[in-house]
Amino acid sequence: MDTGNLAILMIIIVSLGFFLMMFGIVYLDKREKLALIERNMDPRNYKPQSAPYQNLKWGLLLIGAGLGLFLAFVLDRTAFHYGDNSNIFFLYVSLIAFFGGVGLFVSYRIEKREVLDKEDQRIEKL
């Protein structure tokens, strides 16, 4: 298969994928509105639940992934001088995943502490 045919095939696949993604989004939105109507709820008044800690979660995830990437780079340049770089890929992936997970865990602990503090304040007011 030459590059011309491969480019045409790629254009077709990307266009088809984009169309299917848009169709899926519209279909699920309509289905959600129909489900609200079946429950005798007005879809215009429906407001999605806010996620107050969403930015914290994404921020800590990206900070952790960046820290993992930086640490993998430093270890690659200083500690691991292998002749072939076939196993270095796994170092990068594992450290990014590990520190991303640490970031998510820290986010969970912060959210849990905030929720418990709010409950304690509410109980003290009673």
Side-chain angles (χ1 to χ4, degrees), residues 61 64-73 75-76 80 86-103:
L61 174 66
L67 185 64
L69 183 63
F70 176 71
L71 184 63
F73 177 76
L75 287 175
D76 182 24
F80 302 114
S86 61
N87 294 331
I88 290 298
F89 172 75
F90 297 108
L91 174 72
Y92 279 89
V93 171
S94 63
L95 284 177
I96 289 171
F98 176 75
F99 282 104
V102 168

Side-chain angles (χ1 to χ4, degrees), residues 13-124:
I13 289 174
V14 168
S15 300
L16 186 63
F18 180 74
F19 171 75
L20 289 174
M21 181 184 66
M22 295 307 290
F23 177 76
I25 289 171
V26 170
Y27 174 75
L28 290 175
D29 185 52
K30 299 269 187 200
R31 193 166 173 192
E32 181 182 17
K33 287 181 181 177
L34 285 174
L36 288 172
I37 291 171
E38 286 177 0
R39 294 186 185 132
N40 293 328
M41 298 172 69
D42 188 9
R44 293 174 292 189
N45 294 338
Y46 175 69
K47 189 175 184 182
Q49 295 287 346
S50 64
Y53 298 106
Q54 193 70 24
N55 291 336
L56 173 69
K57 187 179 296 183
W58 277 102
L60 288 175
L61 174 66
L62 292 176
I63 288 171
L67 185 64
L69 183 63
F70 176 71
L71 184 63
F73 177 76
V74 168
L75 287 175
D76 182 24
R77 296 293 179 207
T78 59
F80 302 114
H81 290 296
Y82 296 122
D84 61 345
N85 290 335
S86 61
N87 294 331
I88 290 298
F89 172 75
F90 297 108
L91 174 72
Y92 279 89
V93 171
S94 63
L95 284 177
I96 289 171
F98 176 75
F99 282 104
V102 168
L104 288 174
F105 180 73
V106 169
S107 169
Y108 167 75
R109 298 294 292 181
I110 291 172
E111 289 177 28
K112 186 175 179 183
R113 186 179 62 213
E114 290 292 323
V115 168
L116 290 177
D117 287 346
K118 285 181 183 177
E119 286 180 5
D120 288 343
Q121 289 175 357
R122 190 188 58 152
I123 291 173
E124 287 175 1

